[in-house]
């Protein structure tokens, strides 16, 4: 779907829209006229700069790092808590053909909202599959292909207090994540059996899905809170906006 949408945009006359991929925004700095100077690196080690009157940061987990590099005061105090998603996947036609729906259950007590278990029919590379989950995983990366140093590099004097407050107030979530990471394949399939009692271990395999960076923000009462939705942070002059939080692809 994104490819089709982007292809349609590129059909605009007079190069009104230009799309470039396979590149990384390395830095953002303000020009004297209030516009933004953007430093970009390509996969072939080339570098270039662009000037833009408006910048939107819809970079998933990487949005936080870019927001911090922009230096806008509205971005101070924000931090991120990375959580990865894992799913059991089955491709056997005789099993997949018996199910064509998305069936939800209730999340266990103490589990975050994004952990609501469901059995889901998906079309993967042109073939139907069944997915069950999500099971949470923990990593310090902000992107699936990111660096293990992403979390450490995001710590600032302005967001350290909210991060510590969230760690203090969310012990049950930390315990939940630890329990999830320690699950064996047999235990994950056991959870699936609440939906599909005849499920066999050998018919399912574990797939690592996407990476979410949940928003940590300042709070006048608690010092800092962890939220599971999305957050739009914008510069007061309207020259830059960033999308932080859960399901950034869908939200963008």
């Amino acid at each position: 779907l994104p490819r089709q949408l982007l292809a349609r945009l590129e059909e605009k006359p007079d190069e009104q829209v230009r799309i470039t991929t396979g590149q990384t925004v390395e830095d953002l700095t303000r020009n004297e006229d209030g516009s933004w100077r953007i430093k970009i690196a390509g996969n072939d080690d080339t570098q270039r700069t662009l000037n833009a009157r408006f910048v939107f940061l819809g970079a998933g987990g990487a949005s936080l790092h870019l927001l911090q590099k922009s230096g806008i005061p509205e971005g101070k105090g924000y931090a991120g808590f990375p959580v990865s998603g894992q799913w059991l996947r089955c491709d056997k036609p005789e099993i997949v053909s018996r199910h064509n729906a998305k069936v939800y259950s209730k999340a266990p007590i103490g589990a975050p909202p994004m952990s609501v278990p469901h059995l889901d029919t998906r079309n993967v590379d042109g073939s139907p599959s069944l997915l069950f989950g999500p099971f949470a995983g923990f990593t310090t990366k902000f992107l699936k292909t990111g660096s293990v140093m992403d979390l450490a590099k995001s710590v600032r004097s302005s967001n350290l207090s909210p991060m510590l407050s969230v760690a203090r107030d969310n012990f049950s979530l930390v315990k939940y994540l630890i329990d999830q990471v320690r699950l064996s394949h047999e235990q994950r399939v056991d959870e699936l059996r609440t939906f599909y009692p005849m499920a066999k271990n050998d018919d399912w395999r574990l797939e690592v899905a996407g990476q979410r960076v949940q928003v940590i923000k300042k709070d006048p009462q608690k010092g800092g809170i962890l939220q599971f939705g999305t957050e739009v942070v914008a510069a007061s002059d309207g020259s830059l906006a960033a999308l932080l939080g859960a399901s950034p692809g869908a939200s963008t």
Side-chain angles (χ1 to χ4, degrees):
L1 180 59
R3 289 190 187 98
Q4 292 179 29
L5 292 171
L6 294 176
R8 179 63 176 154
L9 284 172
E10 287 187 304
E11 293 175 3
K12 298 284 186 178
D14 303 323
E15 294 189 351
Q16 293 175 344
V17 177
R18 186 175 66 178
I19 297 164
T20 56
T21 59
Q23 302 186 38
T24 302
V25 175
E26 294 189 330
D27 203 8
L28 295 164
T29 54
R30 283 271 201 178
N31 293 317
E32 291 185 0
D33 62 358
S35 63
W36 292 94
R37 186 174 179 83
I38 307 164
K39 182 180 177 182
I40 301 170
N43 288 341
D44 54 357
D45 295 327
T46 58
Q47 290 192 337
R48 63 193 179 104
T49 57
L50 289 177
N51 290 298
R53 292 190 301 272
F54 173 74
V55 176
F56 173 68
L57 305 177
S63 291
L64 177 61
H65 280 159
L66 293 173
L67 176 63
Q68 291 174 331
K69 287 181 178 182
S70 74
I72 63 170
E74 293 82 3
K76 294 188 181 301
Y78 281 93
F81 183 75
V83 180
S84 61
Q86 302 178 91
W87 297 79
L88 288 177
R89 175 176 166 181
C90 174
D91 298 324
K92 286 196 169 184
E94 62 270 27
I95 297 175
V96 178
S97 62
R98 298 175 63 186
H99 182 86
N100 186 26
K102 185 191 289 282
V103 182
Y104 279 88
S105 178
K106 291 184 177 180
I109 294 173
M114 61 181 176
S115 67
V116 175
H118 53 287
L119 186 63
D120 191 5
T121 307
R122 295 289 181 95
N123 196 289
V124 183
D125 294 328
S127 300
S129 293
L130 279 182
L131 297 180
F132 175 75
F135 299 95
F138 178 73
T139 171
T140 54
K141 295 180 180 181
F142 277 6
L143 291 172
K144 194 174 178 179
T145 57
S147 165
V148 293
M149 295 300 296
D150 284 344
L151 179 59
K153 288 179 178 179
S154 72
V155 179
R156 301 284 190 278
S157 59
S158 62
N159 64 17
L160 182 58
S161 178
M163 293 178 77
L164 293 175
S165 297
V166 165
R168 177 197 65 206
D169 297 336
N170 290 271
F171 180 77
S172 60
L173 174 60
V174 174
K175 182 181 181 300
Y176 168 79
L177 288 174
I178 293 173
D179 290 342
Q180 286 277 291
V181 171
R182 294 175 61 190
L183 287 176
S184 66
H185 185 67
E186 174 71 31
Q187 289 171 319
R188 290 189 178 96
V189 177
D190 271 343
E191 291 194 26
L192 167 62
R193 291 188 180 106
T194 61
F195 284 76
Y196 176 27
M198 302 300 291
K200 297 178 181 179
N201 292 359
D202 293 342
D203 292 337
W204 299 78
R205 70 179 188 276
L206 192 65
E207 288 271 10
V208 178
Q211 184 78 0
R212 291 183 176 185
V213 179
Q214 310 298 150
V215 176
I216 295 175
K217 58 188 291 189
K218 288 182 177 179
D219 181 79
Q221 280 76 41
K222 296 183 177 181
I225 56 172
L226 177 68
Q227 66 178 44
F228 292 96
T230 51
E231 180 99 356
V232 176
V233 182
S236 59
D237 63 356
S239 66
L240 181 143
L243 182 70
L244 307 176
S247 196
S251 302
T252 300

